[in-house]
Structures are given as structure tokens and as C-alpha cells.
Amino acid sequence: MGGELSVKPVRAISWSDVGGREASLIQRCAVRDEDACAELVTEHQRMVYQLSLNLLNDHNEALDLSQEVFLRVFRTIQSFRGHSSLRTWIYRIVINQARNRQRWWRRRHRSQQVSLDQHIEDHGDLPEIVSSGPDRLVGQKQLGERIRAALERLPFDQKTAIVLREIDGLSYEEIGFSLGIAVGTVKSRLARAREGLRAELRDV
């Protein structure tokens, strides 16, 4: 798209940019320091689980995926070179693993979903993901259910972009790294996702 060509490339974070404590933690995990591995899991497990749940919409699948993600993290952490924060690198692993699982589901025609009531009980009300006042969503269970259903009907890549931006609050640059795409593509993907959500909600 023409608009994407004008976006300036973002400088990759170098290893020296990674905080001293984080760099130390990564290096200790790379040599299989059990205390460091446990520390990394403790710091990131909530984020990994919640992102997995937002992408897969199933509590048990999110738990399974979280385990897969950390196994993948510890198998590949020696290759981490500080081109992003550790958190953003883990986001990328979660997304790749969730995408693989979505493909597996499609081949077997699976469509199980966690209930909105359970999600709210576990994590609180859904954050605002459509351009409207915050009171439009708080406490409105029916609208929350429609939004969740509309999210599920989006293509996986659009849904992921919306979740990363509007629920997890990532920057465009972090989303770009997590998805392996340019910042301009992030913005156009988000625009398509938001329009898709609006269309779904209008149809309802």
C-alpha cells in the first residue's frame, strides 16, 4: 500500500539496549540456571496465559499453550540477541504457537469457546476495543458477548493485531516485531480489523 512506503523504519534494539538485569536473566536461562528459568516464568506467565486466552478463547487450551510457549522459550533462548525486549520476543512466540494451533483446529473443525461470564470472572470486564465511551462496555454483558463473537469472526491476524493493541497495549513497533510485519502493515491491519468489528456490530 502506498501509505506504508512513507513509514520510517524503526531502529532495532541492540543487545546493549537490554536492561542489565534482563540481560543477566537471559544469560542465566541460556545456561539452564533453574532459578533463573523459574524467575522468568513467574514474571511472564500471567501475560502469556492472558494473551493465549484472548487468542484462543479457551481456558484449557490457553493453559496448554502457555506450557508450550515456555518450553519453546527455554529451547530457543540461546538465540535471543536483544532485537526486542524479552517480553516482546515472548509475545512473538505466543502468537506463532497460537496461529499453529488455530490451523490445527480448522483442520478438525473445532470451535469451542470459553463463556464471557467465565472470562469476566477471571479477568474483569472486557477493555474498550471500539471507538466509543468506556461506559458503553462496562457492565453491558450483551454488547460484550457481541464484541467477543465479532472478534472470533475476524481473520486470525486481524484479531491478533486488535488484541495486542487494544487489550495488551503494545506499541505499533512492538506489534510489528511480534507479528513479523512492518509498522505500516500493522496500522492498515488494525484499520481493517476495526472496520470489520464495526461491520459485525452493525449487522447485529
Side-chain angles (χ1 to χ4, degrees):
M1 296 175 60
E4 296 174 18
L5 298 178
S6 63
V7 177
K8 294 182 180 179
V10 178
R11 182 183 70 84
I13 301 173
S14 68
W15 182 255
S16 61
D17 293 324
V18 178
R21 180 191 167 280
E22 182 168 288
S24 173
L25 180 64
I26 293 165
Q27 290 162 0
R28 288 165 57 210
C29 288
V31 296
R32 301 295 188 265
D33 180 316
E34 292 185 6
D35 290 339
C37 292
E39 189 177 333
L40 185 148
V41 171
T42 299
E43 288 186 9
H44 296 282
Q45 62 184 349
R46 181 175 178 84
M47 175 271 285
V48 168
Y49 168 75
Q50 289 189 329
L51 178 57
S52 300
L53 181 63
N54 285 330
L55 296 180
L56 300 179
N57 212 22
D58 184 287
H59 168 71
N60 291 326
E61 292 289 346
L63 288 177
D64 287 345
L65 187 68
S66 298
Q67 293 181 0
E68 289 178 13
V69 165
F70 284 113
L71 287 173
R72 180 77 176 165
V73 165
F74 294 127
R75 279 199 301 264
T76 60
I77 200 164
Q78 296 93 335
S79 66
F80 183 83
R81 293 294 179 268
H83 295 300
S84 72
S85 68
L86 177 62
R87 171 176 169 267
T88 307
W89 183 70
I90 294 175
Y91 265 102
R92 188 171 191 164
I93 293 175
V94 176
I95 292 162
N96 288 336
Q97 296 296 102
R99 183 183 289 113
N100 291 339
R101 190 163 290 220
Q102 283 276 359
R103 289 169 180 161
W104 186 89
W105 280 0
R106 286 193 198 102
R107 288 196 297 267
R108 289 158 180 78
H109 307 289
R110 178 172 180 171
S111 60
Q112 294 180 349
Q113 296 176 339
V114 69
S115 71
L116 180 68
D117 288 343
Q118 180 183 338
H119 182 91
I120 290 177
E121 181 181 340
D122 292 343
H123 307 289
D125 288 329
L126 289 171
E128 183 184 0
I129 57 175
V130 180
S131 297
S132 61
D135 347 351
R136 295 284 303 279
L137 298 182
V138 176
Q140 294 185 21
K141 216 176 264 190
Q142 287 185 341
L143 180 57
E145 177 67 22
R146 290 173 183 173
I147 292 171
R148 182 200 57 74
L151 272 173
E152 288 304 303
R153 288 191 288 272
L154 289 178
F156 180 79
D157 287 341
Q158 290 184 22
K159 174 185 174 182
T160 302
I162 280 284
V163 166
L164 294 180
R165 180 65 177 172
E166 305 295 352
I167 296 180
D168 289 353
L170 268 62
S171 67
Y172 294 129
E173 291 78 11
E174 288 173 322
I175 297 171
F177 179 86
S178 299
L179 299 178
I181 58 178
V183 170
T185 306
V186 170
K187 293 178 178 179
S188 60
R189 189 170 291 181
L190 281 168
R192 289 195 300 271
R194 288 176 178 130
E195 183 54 40
L197 283 177
R198 293 188 188 101
E200 291 282 357
L201 295 174
R202 277 197 302 267
D203 290 343
V204 173

